[in-house]
Amino acid sequence: MNDDTPIMPGPEADEPTAPTEPQPPAPDEAPTSEQPDEGRDRPRRLLRSSSDRVIAGVAGGLGDYFGVDPIIFRIGFVLSILFGGLGALAYLLLAVFVPTDGDPDAAQRLGGRLQGTGFWRAVGLVIIGILAIGGLFGLAGGAAFAVALGWGVPTAIVIIVIGALLALLAFRGGARWLIPPAVALAIGGGVAAAANLDFRGGIGERTYNPTSVASIPADGYRLGVGRLVVDLRDLNWQQHRVVDLSTSLGAGQSNVFVPKRVCVVATTHVGAGESEVAGDVNSGADVNHSVGTGASAAPRLVLDSSVDMGQLRVINSDNADINTPGYGPGPLHVDTAPQRAAEARACAAK
Amino acid sequence: MRREVKLDPVSLASGVVIAALGALLLVDSAGGLHLSLGWMAVVLTAAVGAIFMLSGLLGGSGGKNPE
């Protein structure tokens, strides 16, 4: 220890718990400015950032605390939502119980109230809150499910009745507790109706491997929820030069496999999700996709396919595995270039 | 102590908005019109935003005022 090192006065000097002999800063932590570095000796504390925040400043605070880019934590939170949602719960708890480095915000005030109510009571309130949010999601999902099963009109009538009841109860003091469940029902039903969700085709995984055109149903293949696979690679394409096919899926993944040399003329619709037809990828809401229109090449598949919510893939490949969502090694591997090339060659052939 | 019950404008306005959403869903389900997912998102967001805005503007904790 260097005895000539100046002793820096700090705010702790006035605190009753301050040591009687102030410790000098370590040589490698010497302040770089002439101003006293307030708080340098204090233990680092995790605080939510008030300046670097997207929602509640949790990622900004974590990044500052650990000395890394907050984007790492943001990506982690988003990924965790996709894989189980534990990160969302962690974010919520951190937002409520970790204070900000600026003026107290709504989350901090909520956390303060929870801490003031005692630990177990606060835990109970958090559990009730989570259950309430889960219940609202359940109501929205139930309404969506009902609409998808064809009960759109009864669901709409229930929502109208609840709305009318809410308006009538306004004259007797109001019933605001009815607002969140009614809104949840309206959102679930509305989204399902707009996406044309149709679960009446059943639930599960269906794999069809027709070996002749006669075995393909005239109205095509249909599934409500799950994975629909139609593998046309065992058809005799020398005999059946042009094959018509329609598929319909409510929610999930729809795959149509054709040999590499078959031209695909497809008209597809995806309500919300991704359409990937012979290597041509489009995603978003209301994705309408036309591929190979006007092509007269043979052999040719004329496809009319729809997915209300999820993913539609038409795959030109002789060796793609129907059990692997991607083409290559691994479920998330997507190399669409070979598909586009195969499609272009097949549709250009005379 | 007599409890005066007066009109709760937030409940009234929210009820009207929710009933209107139900009517829209009814017409859609009956085949009268078809809103795309994008437009439905706009309608739902506007409805929820309107309820929040009314709650903020009209405020209060309900229409029950003890006297």
Side-chain angles (χ1 to χ4, degrees):
Chain A
M1 182 75 66
N2 185 359
D3 293 331
D4 294 329
T5 306
I7 297 172
M8 300 299 292
E12 292 81 2
D14 295 324
E15 294 180 3
T17 55
T20 53
E21 291 183 18
Q23 296 296 314
D28 59 343
E29 291 179 3
T32 54
S33 68
E34 295 179 355
Q35 297 293 326
D37 195 5
E38 293 185 4
R40 170 71 70 180
D41 294 339
R42 281 183 298 186
R44 278 199 312 167
R45 188 178 173 203
L46 176 61
L47 295 170
R48 288 186 289 121
S49 174
S50 58
S51 56
D52 184 8
R53 61 165 53 192
V54 176
I55 299 174
V58 171
L62 286 169
D64 189 43
Y65 184 79
F66 290 106
V68 297
D69 193 328
I71 193 72
I72 294 171
F73 290 100
R74 291 192 179 112
I75 291 171
F77 280 125
V78 170
L79 286 177
S80 74
I81 289 171
L82 298 175
F83 294 97
L86 198 62
L89 181 63
Y91 191 97
L92 192 67
L93 292 174
L94 287 170
V96 170
F97 291 113
V98 174
T100 65
D101 58 6
D103 293 332
D105 56 5
Q108 184 166 338
R109 287 194 292 274
L110 173 64
R113 278 199 293 271
L114 287 174
Q115 285 169 346
T117 59
F119 177 75
W120 289 111
R121 197 168 172 197
V123 168
L125 287 173
V126 169
I127 291 173
I128 289 172
I130 291 171
L131 288 177
I133 292 171
L136 291 178
F137 274 100
L139 275 177
F145 203 72
V147 169
L149 288 175
W151 300 337
V153 171
T155 305
I157 291 172
V158 167
I159 293 169
I160 293 172
V161 168
I162 293 175
L165 188 66
L166 189 56
L168 286 174
L169 288 174
F171 294 95
R172 299 179 63 84
R176 295 187 185 182
W177 62 269
L178 261 178
I179 298 174
V183 169
L185 284 174
I187 289 176
V191 168
N196 279 330
L197 271 184
D198 187 355
F199 291 173
R200 284 170 288 187
I203 297 175
E205 178 161 347
R206 305 275 193 280
T207 301
Y208 300 99
N209 189 17
T211 54
S212 69
V213 171
S215 62
I216 298 175
D219 57 349
Y221 298 105
R222 186 176 177 180
L223 179 63
V225 185
R227 184 167 183 239
L228 174 65
V229 177
V230 181
D231 188 351
L232 300 175
R233 291 177 292 187
D234 288 337
L235 281 179
N236 185 346
W237 287 93
Q238 294 301 325
Q239 181 185 354
H240 309 294
R241 302 295 286 170
V242 179
V243 174
D244 292 297
L245 174 72
S246 70
T247 66
S248 173
L249 175 67
Q253 187 184 52
S254 178
N255 291 161
V256 177
F257 291 85
V258 293
K260 195 163 63 175
R261 60 192 171 81
V262 171
C263 172
V264 177
V265 177
T267 305
T268 65
H269 171 77
V270 175
E274 183 183 72
S275 165
E276 190 174 317
V277 182
D280 201 2
V281 184
N282 287 282
S283 62
D286 282 325
V287 181
N288 293 305
H289 204 167
S290 291
V291 173
T293 49
S296 57
R300 183 168 78 247
L301 170 68
V302 180
L303 177 68
D304 182 3
S305 188
S306 73
V307 173
D308 298 335
M309 203 169 281
Q311 186 189 50
L312 168 67
R313 275 185 172 177
V314 181
I315 301 168
N316 287 67
S317 174
D318 293 331
N319 51 14
D321 182 1
I322 63 169
N323 293 317
T324 307
Y327 310 129
L332 297 177
H333 176 84
V334 177
D335 181 8
T336 60
Q339 307 300 310
R340 285 197 300 274
E343 168 68 8
R345 281 195 300 272
C347 289
K350 297 294 181 186
Chain B
M1 181 182 288
R2 191 172 66 84
R3 212 169 70 157
E4 181 188 342
V5 177
K6 65 177 185 179
L7 175 69
D8 179 19
V10 175
S11 293
L12 179 62
S14 302
V16 171
V17 169
I18 289 165
L21 284 178
L24 188 68
L25 178 58
L26 182 65
V27 174
D28 192 306
S29 299
L33 85 161
H34 177 61
L35 278 180
S36 69
L37 201 59
W39 278 111
M40 183 59 84
V42 170
V43 169
L44 291 172
T45 306
V48 173
I51 292 173
F52 276 130
M53 192 175 71
L54 287 167
S55 298
L57 288 176
L58 302 175
S61 57
K64 294 174 183 171
N65 288 336
E67 282 187 356

